[in-house]
Amino acid sequence: MRKRITIMNSPVDVLSMSETIDLIDDSICEKKPIQHIVVNAAKLVNMQKDQELYQSVVKSDIINADGMAVVWAAGLLGKPLPERVAGVDLMQKLVILASEKNYRIFFFGGREEVVSEVVRKYKSVFGDDIIAGYRNGYFNKGEESGIADQIAESHADILFVAISSPTKEIFLNTYKDRLKVPFIMGVGGSFDVVAGKVKRAPKWMQNSGLEWFYRFLQEPGRMWKRYLVTNSKFIYYVLKERIQTMFR
């Protein structure tokens, strides 16, 4: 039984990147469907008031800490995590794994020009065989069932879903049994990174916990509220939890 901690009432697995990949590889080999999710400061804050998002996260089979803020918070609370397991890095490593193990991937989400560019880039490096199918992330509620059937019929081993929270978590929680995919993962804005639409921060900024600031500089008009409000709330919740543990 692997170890889990809780931060802000959310479980987080105590796993390194390599341990996470080993678990995923085992699930695909055994055809044992599991759902993966990452949590960062913003998601943990939103989970405090969004019960549907909260339930979708806690029911996931693997929950990694995506943001350095979560890793630091865990340490402050006396619940250390081995490292950050960033969703975009995990996705890239799983694509390599798929090429080595002959796994097939379905890419779901993003704008049509983005997801098609992601597929084109991966095909150019790894060949056609790893692609089970793809679809953009623009749809209405009435189309969800048909999308789930399309993914199931692709016989994919891995499903990457690049749709914003909480839509992707709710979609995956609703349809994961019907999808018949051994490994399901929400990947946020990772398609934009792979397609070259969004640049990732330099490694030193990623390791220093400043990737959020780099992202803010690229899209200040869209990101300022998220980082100002949610980061402030995250600090408040973590400090509150720290104080509560001190007096137990």
mmCIF file of all heavy atoms in Angstrom, residues 133-170:
data_model
loop_
_atom_site.group_PDB
_atom_site.id
_atom_site.type_symbol
_atom_site.label_atom_id
_atom_site.label_comp_id
_atom_site.label_asym_id
_atom_site.label_seq_id
_atom_site.Cartn_x
_atom_site.Cartn_y
_atom_site.Cartn_z
ATOM 1 N N GLY A 133 -6.026 8.297 -31.651
ATOM 2 C CA GLY A 133 -7.004 9.251 -32.152
ATOM 3 C C GLY A 133 -6.872 10.572 -31.426
ATOM 4 O O GLY A 133 -6.081 10.718 -30.489
ATOM 5 N N TYR A 134 -7.640 11.564 -31.869
ATOM 6 C CA TYR A 134 -7.637 12.852 -31.181
ATOM 7 C C TYR A 134 -8.926 13.602 -31.472
ATOM 8 O O TYR A 134 -9.621 13.338 -32.457
ATOM 9 C CB TYR A 134 -6.419 13.689 -31.579
ATOM 10 C CG TYR A 134 -6.415 14.230 -32.991
ATOM 11 C CD1 TYR A 134 -6.891 15.514 -33.276
ATOM 12 C CD2 TYR A 134 -5.912 13.470 -34.050
ATOM 13 C CE1 TYR A 134 -6.867 16.016 -34.565
ATOM 14 C CE2 TYR A 134 -5.888 13.961 -35.341
ATOM 15 C CZ TYR A 134 -6.368 15.246 -35.594
ATOM 16 O OH TYR A 134 -6.352 15.732 -36.880
ATOM 17 N N ARG A 135 -9.224 14.560 -30.588
ATOM 18 C CA ARG A 135 -10.407 15.411 -30.741
ATOM 19 C C ARG A 135 -10.183 16.690 -29.966
ATOM 20 O O ARG A 135 -9.576 16.688 -28.899
ATOM 21 C CB ARG A 135 -11.660 14.709 -30.199
ATOM 22 C CG ARG A 135 -12.949 15.425 -30.591
ATOM 23 C CD ARG A 135 -14.115 15.098 -29.702
ATOM 24 N NE ARG A 135 -15.362 15.673 -30.216
ATOM 25 C CZ ARG A 135 -15.712 16.949 -30.092
ATOM 26 N NH1 ARG A 135 -14.909 17.814 -29.479
ATOM 27 N NH2 ARG A 135 -16.847 17.379 -30.581
ATOM 28 N N ASN A 136 -10.688 17.805 -30.516
ATOM 29 C CA ASN A 136 -10.551 19.073 -29.789
ATOM 30 C C ASN A 136 -11.454 19.086 -28.551
ATOM 31 O O ASN A 136 -12.315 18.225 -28.377
ATOM 32 C CB ASN A 136 -10.834 20.271 -30.709
ATOM 33 C CG ASN A 136 -12.282 20.347 -31.148
ATOM 34 O OD1 ASN A 136 -13.202 20.419 -30.339
ATOM 35 N ND2 ASN A 136 -12.504 20.330 -32.465
ATOM 36 N N GLY A 137 -11.257 20.083 -27.712
ATOM 37 C CA GLY A 137 -11.969 20.129 -26.436
ATOM 38 C C GLY A 137 -13.186 21.015 -26.411
ATOM 39 O O GLY A 137 -13.641 21.414 -25.325
ATOM 40 N N TYR A 138 -13.741 21.321 -27.591
ATOM 41 C CA TYR A 138 -14.921 22.195 -27.655
ATOM 42 C C TYR A 138 -16.149 21.358 -27.987
ATOM 43 O O TYR A 138 -16.247 20.764 -29.064
ATOM 44 C CB TYR A 138 -14.692 23.303 -28.688
ATOM 45 C CG TYR A 138 -13.640 24.286 -28.221
ATOM 46 C CD1 TYR A 138 -12.285 24.010 -28.397
ATOM 47 C CD2 TYR A 138 -13.993 25.457 -27.561
ATOM 48 C CE1 TYR A 138 -11.311 24.885 -27.946
ATOM 49 C CE2 TYR A 138 -13.028 26.354 -27.112
ATOM 50 C CZ TYR A 138 -11.698 26.053 -27.301
ATOM 51 O OH TYR A 138 -10.741 26.929 -26.833
ATOM 52 N N PHE A 139 -17.059 21.296 -27.033
ATOM 53 C CA PHE A 139 -18.251 20.471 -27.197
ATOM 54 C C PHE A 139 -19.307 20.937 -26.213
ATOM 55 O O PHE A 139 -19.027 21.659 -25.247
ATOM 56 C CB PHE A 139 -17.905 18.991 -26.929
ATOM 57 C CG PHE A 139 -17.286 18.739 -25.580
ATOM 58 C CD1 PHE A 139 -18.057 18.433 -24.467
ATOM 59 C CD2 PHE A 139 -15.907 18.827 -25.423
ATOM 60 C CE1 PHE A 139 -17.487 18.216 -23.230
ATOM 61 C CE2 PHE A 139 -15.321 18.605 -24.180
ATOM 62 C CZ PHE A 139 -16.116 18.302 -23.079
ATOM 63 N N ASN A 140 -20.546 20.520 -26.474
ATOM 64 C CA ASN A 140 -21.612 20.820 -25.521
ATOM 65 C C ASN A 140 -21.972 19.557 -24.748
ATOM 66 O O ASN A 140 -21.504 18.467 -25.056
ATOM 67 C CB ASN A 140 -22.840 21.418 -26.235
ATOM 68 C CG ASN A 140 -23.393 20.485 -27.307
ATOM 69 O OD1 ASN A 140 -23.613 19.303 -27.059
ATOM 70 N ND2 ASN A 140 -23.617 21.019 -28.510
ATOM 71 N N LYS A 141 -22.794 19.719 -23.750
ATOM 72 C CA LYS A 141 -23.133 18.616 -22.850
ATOM 73 C C LYS A 141 -23.700 17.417 -23.609
ATOM 74 O O LYS A 141 -23.407 16.263 -23.291
ATOM 75 C CB LYS A 141 -24.148 19.109 -21.819
ATOM 76 C CG LYS A 141 -24.349 18.184 -20.631
ATOM 77 C CD LYS A 141 -23.168 18.230 -19.683
ATOM 78 C CE LYS A 141 -23.417 17.389 -18.446
ATOM 79 N NZ LYS A 141 -22.226 17.321 -17.579
ATOM 80 N N GLY A 142 -24.480 17.704 -24.636
ATOM 81 C CA GLY A 142 -25.108 16.625 -25.388
ATOM 82 C C GLY A 142 -24.135 15.785 -26.196
ATOM 83 O O GLY A 142 -24.477 14.680 -26.632
ATOM 84 N N GLU A 143 -22.919 16.287 -26.418
ATOM 85 C CA GLU A 143 -21.917 15.562 -27.197
ATOM 86 C C GLU A 143 -21.028 14.668 -26.341
ATOM 87 O O GLU A 143 -20.275 13.853 -26.875
ATOM 88 C CB GLU A 143 -21.043 16.559 -27.964
ATOM 89 C CG GLU A 143 -21.770 17.356 -29.030
ATOM 90 C CD GLU A 143 -20.858 18.383 -29.681
ATOM 91 O OE1 GLU A 143 -20.538 19.400 -29.019
ATOM 92 O OE2 GLU A 143 -20.456 18.166 -30.842
ATOM 93 N N GLU A 144 -21.092 14.816 -25.031
ATOM 94 C CA GLU A 144 -20.168 14.111 -24.146
ATOM 95 C C GLU A 144 -20.233 12.594 -24.310
ATOM 96 O O GLU A 144 -19.207 11.916 -24.385
ATOM 97 C CB GLU A 144 -20.446 14.472 -22.687
ATOM 98 C CG GLU A 144 -19.973 15.858 -22.310
ATOM 99 C CD GLU A 144 -20.106 16.110 -20.819
ATOM 100 O OE1 GLU A 144 -20.629 15.239 -20.104
ATOM 101 O OE2 GLU A 144 -19.672 17.183 -20.367
ATOM 102 N N SER A 145 -21.442 12.045 -24.383
ATOM 103 C CA SER A 145 -21.600 10.603 -24.498
ATOM 104 C C SER A 145 -20.962 10.070 -25.774
ATOM 105 O O SER A 145 -20.292 9.038 -25.765
ATOM 106 C CB SER A 145 -23.094 10.245 -24.459
ATOM 107 O OG SER A 145 -23.284 8.859 -24.591
ATOM 108 N N GLY A 146 -21.145 10.790 -26.875
ATOM 109 C CA GLY A 146 -20.559 10.379 -28.152
ATOM 110 C C GLY A 146 -19.046 10.452 -28.136
ATOM 111 O O GLY A 146 -18.364 9.603 -28.734
ATOM 112 N N ILE A 147 -18.513 11.452 -27.444
ATOM 113 C CA ILE A 147 -17.057 11.574 -27.314
ATOM 114 C C ILE A 147 -16.508 10.385 -26.525
ATOM 115 O O ILE A 147 -15.480 9.805 -26.886
ATOM 116 C CB ILE A 147 -16.685 12.904 -26.639
ATOM 117 C CG1 ILE A 147 -17.062 14.083 -27.543
ATOM 118 C CG2 ILE A 147 -15.187 12.939 -26.316
ATOM 119 C CD1 ILE A 147 -16.966 15.432 -26.875
ATOM 120 N N ALA A 148 -17.195 10.036 -25.444
ATOM 121 C CA ALA A 148 -16.775 8.890 -24.641
ATOM 122 C C ALA A 148 -16.756 7.616 -25.494
ATOM 123 O O ALA A 148 -15.824 6.801 -25.397
ATOM 124 C CB ALA A 148 -17.698 8.719 -23.440
ATOM 125 N N ASP A 149 -17.760 7.446 -26.354
ATOM 126 C CA ASP A 149 -17.811 6.269 -27.233
ATOM 127 C C ASP A 149 -16.670 6.295 -28.252
ATOM 128 O O ASP A 149 -16.073 5.257 -28.551
ATOM 129 C CB ASP A 149 -19.154 6.211 -27.957
ATOM 130 C CG ASP A 149 -20.303 5.848 -27.021
ATOM 131 O OD1 ASP A 149 -20.039 5.258 -25.955
ATOM 132 O OD2 ASP A 149 -21.464 6.159 -27.362
ATOM 133 N N GLN A 150 -16.372 7.491 -28.794
ATOM 134 C CA GLN A 150 -15.279 7.625 -29.767
ATOM 135 C C GLN A 150 -13.949 7.197 -29.146
ATOM 136 O O GLN A 150 -13.158 6.483 -29.772
ATOM 137 C CB GLN A 150 -15.174 9.081 -30.250
ATOM 138 C CG GLN A 150 -14.037 9.327 -31.243
ATOM 139 C CD GLN A 150 -13.839 10.809 -31.568
ATOM 140 O OE1 GLN A 150 -14.605 11.665 -31.118
ATOM 141 N NE2 GLN A 150 -12.805 11.109 -32.329
ATOM 142 N N ILE A 151 -13.719 7.626 -27.916
ATOM 143 C CA ILE A 151 -12.480 7.258 -27.218
ATOM 144 C C ILE A 151 -12.441 5.760 -26.953
ATOM 145 O O ILE A 151 -11.415 5.102 -27.183
ATOM 146 C CB ILE A 151 -12.350 8.053 -25.906
ATOM 147 C CG1 ILE A 151 -12.209 9.555 -26.206
ATOM 148 C CG2 ILE A 151 -11.167 7.553 -25.081
ATOM 149 C CD1 ILE A 151 -12.347 10.455 -24.996
ATOM 150 N N ALA A 152 -13.562 5.201 -26.509
ATOM 151 C CA ALA A 152 -13.615 3.757 -26.231
ATOM 152 C C ALA A 152 -13.332 2.938 -27.481
ATOM 153 O O ALA A 152 -12.610 1.929 -27.439
ATOM 154 C CB ALA A 152 -14.978 3.392 -25.650
ATOM 155 N N GLU A 153 -13.889 3.374 -28.609
ATOM 156 C CA GLU A 153 -13.735 2.641 -29.865
ATOM 157 C C GLU A 153 -12.320 2.744 -30.441
ATOM 158 O O GLU A 153 -11.950 1.975 -31.330
ATOM 159 C CB GLU A 153 -14.755 3.153 -30.887
ATOM 160 C CG GLU A 153 -16.194 2.747 -30.545
ATOM 161 C CD GLU A 153 -17.238 3.550 -31.313
ATOM 162 O OE1 GLU A 153 -16.840 4.359 -32.188
ATOM 163 O OE2 GLU A 153 -18.436 3.390 -31.017
ATOM 164 N N SER A 154 -11.520 3.694 -29.931
ATOM 165 C CA SER A 154 -10.145 3.848 -30.419
ATOM 166 C C SER A 154 -9.207 2.797 -29.836
ATOM 167 O O SER A 154 -8.089 2.616 -30.318
ATOM 168 C CB SER A 154 -9.607 5.236 -30.053
ATOM 169 O OG SER A 154 -9.294 5.316 -28.665
ATOM 170 N N HIS A 155 -9.655 2.112 -28.759
ATOM 171 C CA HIS A 155 -8.855 1.097 -28.065
ATOM 172 C C HIS A 155 -7.514 1.671 -27.589
ATOM 173 O O HIS A 155 -6.469 1.001 -27.648
ATOM 174 C CB HIS A 155 -8.625 -0.129 -28.955
ATOM 175 C CG HIS A 155 -9.890 -0.778 -29.406
ATOM 176 N ND1 HIS A 155 -10.737 -1.449 -28.546
ATOM 177 C CD2 HIS A 155 -10.480 -0.847 -30.641
ATOM 178 C CE1 HIS A 155 -11.777 -1.903 -29.222
ATOM 179 N NE2 HIS A 155 -11.656 -1.552 -30.487
ATOM 180 N N ALA A 156 -7.555 2.900 -27.106
ATOM 181 C CA ALA A 156 -6.348 3.549 -26.600
ATOM 182 C C ALA A 156 -5.907 2.924 -25.281
ATOM 183 O O ALA A 156 -6.724 2.413 -24.512
ATOM 184 C CB ALA A 156 -6.607 5.042 -26.404
ATOM 185 N N ASP A 157 -4.599 2.962 -25.035
ATOM 186 C CA ASP A 157 -4.045 2.534 -23.753
ATOM 187 C C ASP A 157 -3.908 3.704 -22.792
ATOM 188 O O ASP A 157 -3.910 3.527 -21.575
ATOM 189 C CB ASP A 157 -2.661 1.907 -23.962
ATOM 190 C CG ASP A 157 -2.708 0.685 -24.872
ATOM 191 O OD1 ASP A 157 -3.316 -0.318 -24.461
ATOM 192 O OD2 ASP A 157 -2.158 0.756 -25.983
ATOM 193 N N ILE A 158 -3.753 4.905 -23.370
ATOM 194 C CA ILE A 158 -3.558 6.127 -22.593
ATOM 195 C C ILE A 158 -4.475 7.207 -23.141
ATOM 196 O O ILE A 158 -4.593 7.364 -24.364
ATOM 197 C CB ILE A 158 -2.094 6.606 -22.678
ATOM 198 C CG1 ILE A 158 -1.149 5.573 -22.057
ATOM 199 C CG2 ILE A 158 -1.913 7.964 -21.997
ATOM 200 C CD1 ILE A 158 0.332 5.882 -22.282
ATOM 201 N N LEU A 159 -5.108 7.953 -22.252
ATOM 202 C CA LEU A 159 -5.932 9.095 -22.654
ATOM 203 C C LEU A 159 -5.420 10.341 -21.950
ATOM 204 O O LEU A 159 -5.355 10.393 -20.720
ATOM 205 C CB LEU A 159 -7.397 8.857 -22.273
ATOM 206 C CG LEU A 159 -8.342 10.072 -22.393
ATOM 207 C CD1 LEU A 159 -8.452 10.527 -23.853
ATOM 208 C CD2 LEU A 159 -9.721 9.734 -21.819
ATOM 209 N N PHE A 160 -5.022 11.355 -22.744
ATOM 210 C CA PHE A 160 -4.648 12.658 -22.201
ATOM 211 C C PHE A 160 -5.801 13.624 -22.454
ATOM 212 O O PHE A 160 -6.259 13.760 -23.607
ATOM 213 C CB PHE A 160 -3.392 13.194 -22.866
ATOM 214 C CG PHE A 160 -2.141 12.409 -22.570
ATOM 215 C CD1 PHE A 160 -1.256 12.089 -23.578
ATOM 216 C CD2 PHE A 160 -1.847 11.993 -21.278
ATOM 217 C CE1 PHE A 160 -0.088 11.379 -23.319
ATOM 218 C CE2 PHE A 160 -0.685 11.272 -20.998
ATOM 219 C CZ PHE A 160 0.196 10.966 -22.018
ATOM 220 N N VAL A 161 -6.246 14.303 -21.410
ATOM 221 C CA VAL A 161 -7.369 15.235 -21.531
ATOM 222 C C VAL A 161 -6.900 16.642 -21.163
ATOM 223 O O VAL A 161 -6.568 16.922 -20.010
ATOM 224 C CB VAL A 161 -8.539 14.823 -20.623
ATOM 225 C CG1 VAL A 161 -9.729 15.758 -20.839
ATOM 226 C CG2 VAL A 161 -8.954 13.387 -20.888
ATOM 227 N N ALA A 162 -6.866 17.527 -22.155
ATOM 228 C CA ALA A 162 -6.404 18.900 -21.958
ATOM 229 C C ALA A 162 -7.598 19.855 -21.954
ATOM 230 O O ALA A 162 -7.830 20.606 -22.904
ATOM 231 C CB ALA A 162 -5.408 19.294 -23.046
ATOM 232 N N ILE A 163 -8.362 19.786 -20.886
ATOM 233 C CA ILE A 163 -9.532 20.645 -20.706
ATOM 234 C C ILE A 163 -9.400 21.283 -19.323
ATOM 235 O O ILE A 163 -8.881 20.663 -18.393
ATOM 236 C CB ILE A 163 -10.838 19.829 -20.798
ATOM 237 C CG1 ILE A 163 -10.937 19.135 -22.164
ATOM 238 C CG2 ILE A 163 -12.059 20.711 -20.593
ATOM 239 C CD1 ILE A 163 -12.094 18.173 -22.284
ATOM 240 N N SER A 164 -9.861 22.510 -19.188
ATOM 241 C CA SER A 164 -9.693 23.224 -17.928
ATOM 242 C C SER A 164 -10.500 22.594 -16.798
ATOM 243 O O SER A 164 -11.489 21.899 -17.026
ATOM 244 C CB SER A 164 -10.095 24.695 -18.096
ATOM 245 O OG SER A 164 -11.451 24.795 -18.486
ATOM 246 N N SER A 165 -10.041 22.843 -15.579
ATOM 247 C CA SER A 165 -10.758 22.381 -14.381
ATOM 248 C C SER A 165 -11.967 23.285 -14.131
ATOM 249 O O SER A 165 -11.911 24.488 -14.410
ATOM 250 C CB SER A 165 -9.832 22.444 -13.165
ATOM 251 O OG SER A 165 -8.764 21.536 -13.288
ATOM 252 N N PRO A 166 -13.074 22.776 -13.606
ATOM 253 C CA PRO A 166 -13.262 21.387 -13.186
ATOM 254 C C PRO A 166 -13.877 20.490 -14.273
ATOM 255 O O PRO A 166 -14.210 19.357 -13.988
ATOM 256 C CB PRO A 166 -14.240 21.530 -12.021
ATOM 257 C CG PRO A 166 -15.115 22.674 -12.431
ATOM 258 C CD PRO A 166 -14.204 23.630 -13.166
ATOM 259 N N THR A 167 -14.014 21.036 -15.517
ATOM 260 C CA THR A 167 -14.687 20.282 -16.578
ATOM 261 C C THR A 167 -14.031 18.932 -16.824
ATOM 262 O O THR A 167 -14.708 17.908 -16.956
ATOM 263 C CB THR A 167 -14.714 21.097 -17.884
ATOM 264 O OG1 THR A 167 -15.319 22.361 -17.632
ATOM 265 C CG2 THR A 167 -15.502 20.372 -18.957
ATOM 266 N N LYS A 168 -12.656 18.921 -16.904
ATOM 267 C CA LYS A 168 -11.997 17.643 -17.216
ATOM 268 C C LYS A 168 -12.152 16.640 -16.095
ATOM 269 O O LYS A 168 -12.380 15.456 -16.343
ATOM 270 C CB LYS A 168 -10.538 17.854 -17.577
ATOM 271 C CG LYS A 168 -9.593 18.178 -16.462
ATOM 272 C CD LYS A 168 -8.158 18.089 -16.946
ATOM 273 C CE LYS A 168 -7.182 18.548 -15.868
ATOM 274 N NZ LYS A 168 -7.251 19.998 -15.621
ATOM 275 N N GLU A 169 -12.032 17.095 -14.833
ATOM 276 C CA GLU A 169 -12.163 16.175 -13.714
ATOM 277 C C GLU A 169 -13.559 15.561 -13.677
ATOM 278 O O GLU A 169 -13.724 14.356 -13.436
ATOM 279 C CB GLU A 169 -11.872 16.891 -12.395
ATOM 280 C CG GLU A 169 -10.413 17.214 -12.155
ATOM 281 C CD GLU A 169 -9.957 18.513 -12.807
ATOM 282 O OE1 GLU A 169 -10.808 19.221 -13.402
ATOM 283 O OE2 GLU A 169 -8.770 18.825 -12.737
ATOM 284 N N ILE A 170 -14.548 16.389 -13.931
ATOM 285 C CA ILE A 170 -15.935 15.913 -13.890
ATOM 286 C C ILE A 170 -16.208 14.958 -15.055
ATOM 287 O O ILE A 170 -16.853 13.916 -14.886
ATOM 288 C CB ILE A 170 -16.908 17.109 -13.893
ATOM 289 C CG1 ILE A 170 -16.735 17.903 -12.586
ATOM 290 C CG2 ILE A 170 -18.349 16.644 -14.057
ATOM 291 C CD1 ILE A 170 -17.417 19.258 -12.592
#
